[in-house]
Amino acid sequence: MRSPVPDSARERCAALDAADPLAGLRERFVLPPGTIYLDGNSLGPPARDTADRLHEAVAHQWGGDLVRSWNSAGWIDLPARLGAKIAPLIGAQPDEVIVTDSTSVNLFKLLAGAVRRQPGRTLILSERGNFPTDLYIAQGLIDQLAEARRQPAAGAVDGPHDKQLRLELVDRGDLPAALAAARAREQAGQGDLAVALLTQIDYRTGARLDMARITADVHAAGGLVLWDLAHSAGAFPVSLGEAGADLAVGCGYKYLNGGPGAPAFAFVARALQADFAQPLSGWMGHATPFSFDTDYRPAEGIARLLCGTPPILSMIALEAGLDALHAAQPLGGLAALREKSLRLTRIFAQRALERAARHGLRCVTPMTDAERGSQVSFTLPDADMAHAVIQALIARGVIGDFRAPDILRFGFAPLYLRHVDAWDAAEQLADVLDARAWDAPHFLGRAAVT
Amino acid sequence: MRSPVPDSARERCAALDAADPLAGLRERFVLPPGTIYLDGNSLGPPARDTADRLHEAVAHQWGGDLVRSWNSAGWIDLPARLGAKIAPLIGAQPDEVIVTDSTSVNLFKLLAGAVRRQPGRTLILSERGNFPTDLYIAQGLIDQLAEARRQPAAGAVDGPHDKQLRLELVDRGDLPAALAAARAREQAGQGDLAVALLTQIDYRTGARLDMARITADVHAAGGLVLWDLAHSAGAFPVSLGEAGADLAVGCGYKYLNGGPGAPAFAFVARALQADFAQPLSGWMGHATPFSFDTDYRPAEGIARLLCGTPPILSMIALEAGLDALHAAQPLGGLAALREKSLRLTRIFAQRALERAARHGLRCVTPMTDAERGSQVSFTLPDADMAHAVIQALIARGVIGDFRAPDILRFGFAPLYLRHVDAWDAAEQLADVLDARAWDAPHFLGRAAVT
């Protein structure tokens, strides 16, 4: 069923690999043989030394120096140290980033702190297609604050100034218009935009927002911007500082390869740190945690974003992932990785469409380089078919994922993927469609977790 | 300098060890040779198979099945599975406990949810000597809600019903009186107690609160009780269910031996779960996380306490710790461990006082069994001396810790400590004092983290 393409096309991919200065980085990761792993945007693979580092941490640090390892092994410094390692990946200063908790918990801290800095402003603007946890956290915060305001005033009648915080969701395409409208209200002295809560890369389509332009638009409307960098950090150079971004969160287990549920990071621009108040004021964010004071006094700077005791073993795994990524630095770093990522996604999308458009395969990822992240997403005429095709591909060792309602999603991590992987994955996708290999009961059943 | 005690006293300890059915459990832990580890109440040691389990998780689960391990290795079930393993240790039902986030983050969730259930009630009652993070979290929540109420009403004048949530701190000894006063207000139709936020075991002194009695007192005053079980869970049988407790949190890295910063647990009594609303409404607490809905809808039951993606590697280490603890089950379980713990603390305290009271050593831990946890705490005439004595003991391999302002703290985990350890540690403590071995510059400097 192969279409009549000259072998030379795959050979050109092999030649790109042979000439790729980044090719050697693949050896730093554990990847099962016979697998083309295109789900590193959901869970990156382990760096090769992760298991050894954890063994060292358990057997010699924890099991040897026991509680003293908080100092002797530098555990206590891990949140700041890992933050400083993430900072250059996202265009931040080392003292603007800290690793702690999960993305969701950090969203709550930053959103609560942002809303608090914007008294009288009631609008949290986000996208309808934002990753659900971003929306859920905003809903939880709004609901909590609304309820709190109702409670103590029971019996009192709400006054005319009694405006509730609200979440407005717009389609991604309508963001510029929504921000222009917010700006017009601002200029009319009726500014209401508190925070724009935006994810740079759409988790379904891989479409990328222009961080600099949108940040400027949000600021012009009087708002703060909170960027979710889940599918950005480690995938391509992010420029929080250049864009003048205020706040950001990001994920440790996708392109940073930190392991399942790896701790997340939080970014607060220096200018906002001094009086940034976040409600999860746990002891690790105290100015002097080990003086065991009765009253909370936030640490200077980014450390006030800490809450409880950090999960050290998971942080050690994340450090292994970060160090593997930093090995790209002398080879051109994220800029070179970005170039490669664009090639990989282009090869994959073009070849897949070339062979499988006739099956109704449609690419929903922008092919303009500046407008996409590091993934390619397709749809097929039928959602169940899309899900079954992913299952059939997984059975062949090509691991992508399905995202409701109907997305076939393929992440391309340039750290460990080859150009031939992109080519071969497209061929496999087309083969599965050509042969209707997906049309079997064991592929058509929907998985509980996909 | 040895006082004239017959060798037979230590021999009696050795005989207790020889007859101890729990003695074999020590082999399940990694403990460095030549060390008597009395800081397991700060960080428990690793279970012997922890390193292997992590290696399996990294090399074969994460590195083999990659993202599919969320299902194939049961990662997605870990929060509930570990919760069910903790439940019998604290007198809870398996569906009342979940492992997630840190103790501090869980305190915020439960306290916010509790306050919300108690409209019109403004008092959070706690102890002045409570562990700082408990107080800091309460302060953070109160501050957040107060600020939220000020903001939208800017311009409006607060009405007479405008009562702010407040934190009242009393000394531990004054708790009964404070609860009696709250009950009197309740009976007079002026009940204001929202939540009592209490830690069962005082982290400094090791004194233990009567959970059943205090829970009843809180309920009689119209309040909910939130128990912090940091120094309780895994140390002795806790009876949340019998006591009718409402809410609880606890720590994974002390007597549960889950590793540095191990994920914590949260307990919500069944009766409160159905409409329990907590503000950290992340995607893992959604009824159907993988349908990627736009609107948050909490999961049924305890799963709504989840927020973001859990740190799996740290959870796997915690499971190893829990399994090692459960190995005590056929040997009498926590009841037998409690008996042993009481013997260990008694031997240590008695012998240390016998030899070192003349140096001003004073025990601040109650020697009435029902009134203490699993630790012994002393003071000395001078805080710097107390700190230096701890350092000198550590140099001799007896690892306790110093807690500001002046506490020498020794935790006794009956899972892996021997009766001779309790005896020998007391001898070492007395020897250090007899010989003034602590009075050296390298011991007198205060450590950054103690």
Side-chain angles (χ1 to χ4, degrees):
Chain A
M1 296 291 291
R2 289 287 178 107
S3 65
V5 167
D7 284 349
S8 61
R10 189 181 192 278
E11 279 164 21
R12 280 198 299 274
C13 288
L16 285 171
D17 289 325
D20 179 10
L22 301 168
L25 296 171
R26 179 178 169 88
E27 291 310 310
R28 292 180 175 264
F29 292 90
V30 177
L31 288 161
T35 296
I36 300 177
Y37 190 53
L38 306 182
D39 212 3
N41 54 332
S42 178
L43 175 67
R48 195 163 288 285
D49 60 351
T50 306
D52 286 346
R53 291 196 193 196
L54 281 170
H55 187 271
E56 163 68 21
V58 172
H60 301 123
Q61 295 175 3
W62 178 17
D65 248 12
L66 296 159
V67 71
R68 289 164 293 176
S69 294
W70 280 105
N71 290 315
S72 62
W75 293 346
I76 197 75
D77 303 321
L78 273 167
R81 189 165 86 221
L82 300 195
K85 288 186 179 189
I86 289 171
L89 307 174
I90 58 174
Q93 301 302 314
D95 60 358
E96 291 179 319
V97 187
I98 199 146
V99 170
T100 173
D101 295 314
S102 65
T103 304
S104 299
V105 170
N106 290 333
L107 279 165
F108 187 88
K109 294 176 195 163
L110 294 190
L111 196 59
V115 161
R116 183 172 176 155
R117 286 182 77 92
Q118 298 275 60
R121 292 177 177 269
T122 55
L123 174 60
I124 298 176
L125 179 67
S126 192
E127 260 194 278
R128 192 163 288 113
N130 203 342
F131 188 74
T133 214
D134 298 65
L135 304 183
Y136 299 163
I137 290 292
Q139 290 162 13
L141 177 67
I142 289 170
D143 190 43
Q144 180 204 19
L145 298 184
E147 184 67 26
R149 297 188 54 256
R150 266 196 294 281
Q151 283 186 10
V157 179
D158 285 342
H161 299 272
D162 197 8
K163 293 176 293 184
Q164 297 287 351
L165 204 59
R166 67 195 172 89
L167 176 64
E168 182 181 327
L169 301 182
V170 300
D171 289 333
R172 181 165 271 222
D174 296 334
L175 260 181
L179 288 172
R183 181 183 193 159
R185 293 194 298 276
E186 179 74 9
Q187 290 172 339
Q190 297 173 333
D192 61 352
L193 181 61
V195 191
L197 171 62
L198 298 168
T199 298
Q200 190 184 14
I201 303 297
D202 185 297
Y203 77 103
R204 287 191 175 102
T205 67
R208 173 165 124 149
L209 291 177
D210 181 338
M211 179 178 281
R213 188 175 57 76
I214 289 180
T215 297
D217 287 352
V218 171
H219 288 171
L224 295 168
V225 64
L226 198 177
W227 287 104
D228 183 336
L229 303 177
H231 292 262
S232 305
F236 53 81
V238 176
S239 305
L240 288 172
E242 256 181 67
D246 306 296
L247 306 164
V249 297
C251 177
Y253 53 81
K254 298 180 186 292
Y255 293 98
L256 301 183
N257 307 303
F265 65 84
F267 159 90
V268 177
R270 266 187 200 160
L272 278 72
Q273 287 179 7
D275 54 351
F276 195 84
Q278 63 93 0
L280 291 173
S281 48
W283 74 310
M284 282 289 165
H286 194 277
T288 56
F290 294 94
S291 64
F292 299 96
D293 294 338
T294 302
D295 293 317
Y296 184 73
R297 189 164 42 90
E300 292 296 311
I302 193 72
R304 65 178 56 187
L305 267 293
L306 294 176
C307 183
T309 309
I312 295 303
L313 300 176
S314 287
M315 295 189 99
I316 285 169
L318 173 56
E319 187 161 38
L322 287 170
D323 289 348
L325 182 53
H326 278 286
Q329 207 48 45
L331 308 169
L334 276 177
L337 287 165
R338 172 63 169 170
E339 284 302 308
K340 180 175 174 183
S341 153
L342 291 172
R343 280 197 305 277
L344 294 172
T345 47
R346 213 180 292 124
I347 290 167
F348 175 71
Q350 283 175 359
R351 181 57 178 160
L353 290 172
E354 190 175 45
R355 281 195 56 197
R358 67 190 184 92
H359 296 293
L361 190 79
R362 298 286 173 267
C363 184
V364 295
T365 304
M367 278 299 114
T368 304
D369 287 354
E371 294 175 11
R372 74 173 180 279
S374 202
Q375 76 186 56
V376 176
S377 299
F378 295 115
T379 56
L380 280 165
D382 175 310
D384 286 337
M385 176 183 173
H387 184 266
V389 167
I390 286 290
Q391 300 311 313
L393 277 169
I394 289 172
R396 291 173 175 224
V398 178
I399 303 175
D401 63 24
F402 174 82
R403 278 294 173 265
D406 63 351
I407 300 279
L408 300 90
R409 194 174 73 153
F410 303 94
F412 285 84
L415 258 184
Y416 49 80
L417 291 175
R418 300 165 296 204
H419 299 82
V420 292
D421 293 330
W423 179 266
D424 292 344
E427 293 288 277
Q428 292 272 7
L429 172 57
D431 288 353
V432 161
L433 287 164
D434 284 349
R436 286 189 72 88
W438 54 271
D439 192 8
H442 56 291
F443 293 143
L444 282 162
R446 291 285 186 96
V449 180
T450 50
Chain B
M1 294 293 289
R2 290 286 179 107
S3 67
V5 166
D7 284 348
S8 61
R10 190 180 190 279
E11 280 165 21
R12 280 198 300 275
C13 288
L16 285 170
D17 288 324
D20 179 9
L22 301 168
L25 296 171
R26 179 178 169 87
E27 291 309 311
R28 292 180 173 264
F29 292 89
V30 178
L31 288 161
T35 297
I36 300 177
Y37 191 54
L38 306 182
D39 213 3
N41 53 333
S42 179
L43 176 67
R48 195 163 288 285
D49 60 351
T50 305
D52 286 345
R53 291 195 193 196
L54 281 170
H55 186 271
E56 163 68 22
V58 173
H60 301 123
Q61 295 175 5
W62 178 17
D65 249 11
L66 296 159
V67 70
R68 290 164 293 177
S69 293
W70 280 105
N71 290 315
S72 62
W75 292 348
I76 197 74
D77 303 320
L78 273 167
R81 189 166 85 220
L82 300 195
K85 287 186 180 188
I86 289 170
L89 307 174
I90 57 175
Q93 300 301 315
D95 61 358
E96 291 179 318
V97 187
I98 199 147
V99 170
T100 174
D101 295 314
S102 66
T103 304
S104 298
V105 170
N106 290 333
L107 280 165
F108 187 88
K109 294 175 195 164
L110 295 190
L111 196 58
V115 161
R116 183 171 176 155
R117 286 184 78 93
Q118 299 275 61
R121 293 177 176 270
T122 55
L123 174 60
I124 298 175
L125 179 67
S126 192
E127 259 194 279
R128 192 163 287 114
N130 203 343
F131 189 74
T133 214
D134 299 64
L135 304 182
Y136 300 163
I137 289 291
Q139 290 162 13
L141 177 67
I142 289 169
D143 191 43
Q144 180 204 19
L145 298 184
E147 184 66 26
R149 296 189 52 258
R150 265 195 295 280
Q151 282 187 8
V157 179
D158 284 342
H161 298 274
D162 199 8
K163 292 176 291 184
Q164 298 286 353
L165 205 57
R166 68 195 171 89
L167 176 65
E168 182 181 328
L169 301 182
V170 300
D171 289 335
R172 182 165 272 222
D174 296 334
L175 260 181
L179 288 172
R183 180 183 193 158
R185 293 194 298 276
E186 179 74 9
Q187 289 171 339
Q190 297 174 331
D192 62 352
L193 181 62
V195 191
L197 171 62
L198 298 168
T199 299
Q200 190 184 17
I201 304 296
D202 185 297
Y203 77 103
R204 287 191 174 102
T205 66
R208 171 164 126 150
L209 291 177
D210 181 338
M211 179 177 282
R213 188 175 57 76
I214 289 180
T215 297
D217 287 352
V218 172
H219 288 170
L224 295 168
V225 64
L226 197 178
W227 286 104
D228 184 336
L229 303 177
H231 292 263
S232 304
F236 53 81
V238 177
S239 304
L240 287 173
E242 255 181 67
D246 305 297
L247 305 165
V249 297
C251 177
Y253 53 80
K254 298 179 186 291
Y255 293 99
L256 301 183
N257 307 303
F265 64 85
F267 159 90
V268 177
R270 267 187 199 159
L272 279 72
Q273 287 180 5
D275 54 351
F276 195 84
Q278 64 92 2
L280 291 173
S281 47
W283 74 310
M284 281 288 165
H286 193 278
T288 56
F290 294 95
S291 63
F292 299 97
D293 294 338
T294 303
D295 293 317
Y296 184 73
R297 187 164 44 88
E300 293 295 312
I302 193 72
R304 66 179 55 187
L305 268 295
L306 294 175
C307 183
T309 309
I312 295 302
L313 299 177
S314 287
M315 295 189 99
I316 285 169
L318 174 55
E319 187 161 36
L322 287 170
D323 289 348
L325 182 53
H326 278 287
Q329 206 49 47
L331 308 170
L334 277 177
L337 287 165
R338 172 64 170 169
E339 284 302 308
K340 181 174 173 183
S341 154
L342 290 172
R343 280 197 305 275
L344 294 172
T345 47
R346 211 181 293 125
I347 290 167
F348 175 72
Q350 283 176 359
R351 180 58 177 159
L353 288 172
E354 190 174 47
R355 281 196 55 199
R358 67 191 184 88
H359 297 292
L361 190 78
R362 297 287 172 266
C363 184
V364 296
T365 303
M367 278 299 115
T368 304
D369 287 354
E371 294 175 10
R372 74 175 181 278
S374 201
Q375 77 186 55
V376 175
S377 298
F378 296 114
T379 56
L380 281 166
D382 176 311
D384 286 338
M385 176 182 171
H387 184 266
V389 167
I390 286 290
Q391 301 311 312
L393 277 170
I394 289 172
R396 292 174 175 223
V398 178
I399 303 175
D401 63 25
F402 174 82
R403 279 293 173 265
D406 63 350
I407 299 280
L408 300 91
R409 195 174 73 153
F410 302 94
F412 286 83
L415 258 184
Y416 49 80
L417 290 175
R418 298 167 297 204
H419 299 83
V420 291
D421 293 330
W423 179 266
D424 292 344
E427 293 289 277
Q428 293 272 7
L429 172 58
D431 287 353
V432 162
L433 286 163
D434 284 350
R436 286 189 72 87
W438 54 272
D439 192 7
H442 55 291
F443 294 142
L444 282 162
R446 290 287 185 97
V449 180
T450 50

